[in-house]
Amino acid sequence: MTVRTDGTVIRGWDITGSLDVYANDVTIIDSRITSTNWWGVNLRPGHRGLRVLHSTVTAIPGKGPDNGGEDYAVSNMGTSSVEVGWCDISVFGNALSMGQGHIHDNYVHDIVPFRNAGGEWQHTDAVISGGGNKGSLIIRHNTLLNPVAVDRGASASIGLFADTGHVSHTVIDGNLLAGGAYSLYGGGDGATGITVTNNVFSTRYHRNAGGYGAVAAWNADGSGNVWRGNRFTDGTPISPEPDR
């Protein structure tokens, strides 16, 4: 379904398919989306103000266009923040994909691995940002679980990657993280304005939260970067190793 009317409210729908949004200030609330497309909800470039609230976004394993896989539950290709709150999200490989947005109070779980159209295991992340964002990204009070095995493409629970530019203006606060190669990739060299506070790193999948450790690519010397109050579930503090 393509949405082209500004201010559209989709409330209480049970959708078999996906939403492609070419409009401003669209709200999806109290709904269920079961997709077999590349995404569940996608905001197109040049548009703003998307909100996905109190909804379930899921997919059918093996039925997607990426060699059977589905890539994004909510994707922000737009020009401003996207809000995703109080949602239940599962199956998609890179569940919440955005460089700017407000991601809060969500449950991301049961990510399903798949080999992509190139025949490689698709990298999986509960939240992924490619960097280069002009606005801010706030990730707060979520449960973000990536149960995928490292040898089947697991990347992170939260992956801040400098794929399209430096990572900046990001708050990661009060989340429960588990799984991935590392549970958190912190943006790497050049990352600035990254605040990581009061997060709990669970050992439910790996003894160090991620297969290789809790955190990687943390730029301790970056301007405005703050690491404080982060710990394992038993209370042991986590201190990231310097980025190399």
Side-chain angles (χ1 to χ4, degrees), residues 17-19 35-40 59 63-66 69-72 92:
S18 60
L19 295 174
S35 175
T36 55
N37 202 345
W38 295 95
W39 58 78
K63 299 296 184 180
D66 195 358
E70 296 97 348
D71 289 80
Y72 311 109
F92 293 91

Side-chain angles (χ1 to χ4, degrees), residues 10-224:
I10 294 173
R11 182 188 300 271
W13 289 22
D14 188 346
I15 299 168
T16 300
S18 60
L19 295 174
D20 202 4
V21 180
Y22 291 83
N24 298 325
D25 304 319
V26 172
T27 298
I28 301 158
I29 187 167
D30 294 330
S31 295
R32 179 181 178 88
I33 297 169
T34 305
S35 175
T36 55
N37 202 345
W38 295 95
W39 58 78
V41 183
N42 182 41
L43 181 65
R44 288 289 180 170
H47 300 284
R48 55 177 170 74
L50 174 66
R51 299 192 305 160
V52 184
L53 307 173
H54 297 283
S55 294
T56 296
V57 186
T58 190
I60 301 174
K63 299 296 184 180
D66 195 358
N67 197 30
E70 296 97 348
D71 289 80
Y72 311 109
V74 182
S75 172
N76 183 6
M77 300 171 65
T79 56
S80 73
S81 176
V82 165
E83 182 182 3
V84 183
W86 305 284
C87 289
D88 183 318
I89 296 168
S90 60
V91 179
F92 293 91
N94 285 308
L96 299 174
S97 175
M98 60 191 71
Q100 51 194 347
H102 186 194
I103 298 171
H104 63 92
D105 303 288
N106 300 289
Y107 177 37
V108 180
H109 59 102
D110 293 307
I111 293 172
V112 175
F114 62 92
R115 291 187 184 273
N116 59 28
E120 301 175 337
W121 286 108
Q122 177 71 19
H123 287 180
T124 61
D125 304 87
V127 176
I128 186 170
S129 169
N133 52 301
K134 296 181 180 179
S136 64
L137 177 62
I138 299 171
I139 306 168
R140 178 171 281 138
H141 298 165
N142 303 280
T143 296
L144 303 173
L145 309 180
N146 186 349
V148 176
V150 174
D151 62 0
R152 292 196 170 196
S155 182
S157 293
I158 298 177
L160 306 181
F161 302 114
D163 295 333
T164 58
H166 292 313
V167 180
S168 63
H169 304 107
T170 300
V171 173
I172 301 171
D173 176 66
N175 301 282
L176 176 65
L177 310 179
Y182 290 90
S183 288
L184 171 64
Y185 282 84
D189 184 40
T192 58
I194 313 298
T195 301
V196 183
T197 54
N198 304 316
N199 298 283
V200 175
F201 289 73
S202 170
T203 57
R204 66 183 296 169
Y205 304 125
H206 308 284
R207 67 183 183 89
N208 291 314
Y212 302 135
V215 57
W218 174 250
N219 181 13
D221 298 325
S223 175

